[in-house]
Amino acid sequence: PFIFSYKTTYDSNKYFDSIVINTISVTATADNKPESASGGAAIIIGNPPTQCFTFDDSWNSYPNLKNQLMGAIGELSKASIYMSTLCGAGQTITLSYSGINTGYAAEVIGSKILFHVFGLSLGSHGTFYTLAHETGHLYAAWVAGKYDQFKQNAGVRSEGFICTYLLNKTVAEDFPETIAIYAAKTSNTNNACLGNFKTQYPNHWQFAHDNIFYQDLGW
């Protein structure tokens, strides 16, 4: 184990009603093979805006998990075109927490995303991935034509389904998985089946870039 600490001062005149995301990235080389990983934590200052998301009372007993999810909203907001399209096409998205370990991460019920224990148990990145995936279901339902384009895209279909989704592999799950992996780069688990999304599933990546995000997001 290696432990270190650092201190950063935030100017209250700049950082009011803000989500500040601290990220650390590590690269290590073993047997001449470089491996990289990253992690992060969100610091909530005041009452930051949460796009078209709203939290219901189920989070009252879980303030740390709520902050973790607010950090994920901050990360997803970097995909500004995606978020403005999603929020402009639908309605308020209610975020709820079951507190139950169902074995899967979350589910969409109407305009509500219901998170379960697993969806928030793998830290900030797993929460970000789960949020992106579930909003992908709402995007498919609310943004006219995009899901149909995806279903009918021959290049996308030639690549099969993205391997990171471990439950029933269908087009209905492949679409939000494409959104989640494009935004988060990896899934909510260290699934060894996925190397580089852009090179392993180039048609999925290109569809997401050209038809959904319109931004590189660090690729």
Side-chain angles (χ1 to χ4, degrees), residues 23-206:
T23 303
I24 181 171
S25 299
V26 177
T27 300
T29 301
D31 297 327
N32 296 317
K33 182 181 180 182
E35 297 286 350
S36 297
S38 63
I43 297 172
I44 309 302
I45 302 174
N47 295 294
T50 55
Q51 298 278 3
C52 55
F53 298 104
T54 185
F55 291 83
D56 67 12
D57 292 340
S58 63
W59 300 95
N60 291 348
S61 299
Y62 305 96
N64 291 337
L65 293 180
K66 180 179 179 180
N67 283 354
Q68 185 171 300
L69 188 51
M70 288 184 72
I73 293 171
E75 286 283 2
L76 192 57
S77 295
K78 295 176 182 178
S80 55
I81 297 173
Y82 172 76
M83 283 302 303
S84 62
T85 303
L86 174 68
C87 290
Q91 50 194 302
T92 299
I93 301 170
T94 300
L95 303 176
S96 188
Y97 184 54
S98 72
I100 299 172
N101 195 353
T102 62
Y104 55 97
E107 59 187 303
V108 169
I109 304 172
S111 60
K112 177 173 74 174
I113 300 175
L114 176 62
F115 285 81
H116 303 300
V117 169
F118 178 64
L120 301 173
S121 66
L122 297 171
S124 57
H125 180 82
T127 300
F128 174 38
Y129 158 86
T130 300
L131 178 67
H133 179 97
E134 299 306 327
T135 60
H137 283 293
L138 296 174
Y139 191 98
W142 292 351
V143 181
K146 297 296 185 180
Y147 178 57
D148 287 337
Q149 291 176 28
F150 182 81
K151 287 195 299 183
Q152 296 164 12
N153 187 292
V156 170
R157 297 278 61 82
S158 71
E159 294 175 345
F161 301 130
I162 299 174
C163 64
T164 51
Y165 191 78
L166 301 179
L167 300 177
N168 293 331
K169 295 185 182 296
T170 64
V171 178
E173 291 295 346
D174 199 46
F175 182 81
E177 189 70 359
T178 297
I179 289 173
I181 299 299
Y182 188 93
K185 307 294 192 298
T186 58
S187 70
N188 62 345
T189 59
N190 294 322
N191 194 316
C193 75
L194 183 67
N196 183 290
F197 180 52
K198 187 175 182 179
T199 56
Q200 192 168 336
Y201 295 93
N203 294 317
H204 280 75
W205 185 95
Q206 200 68 52

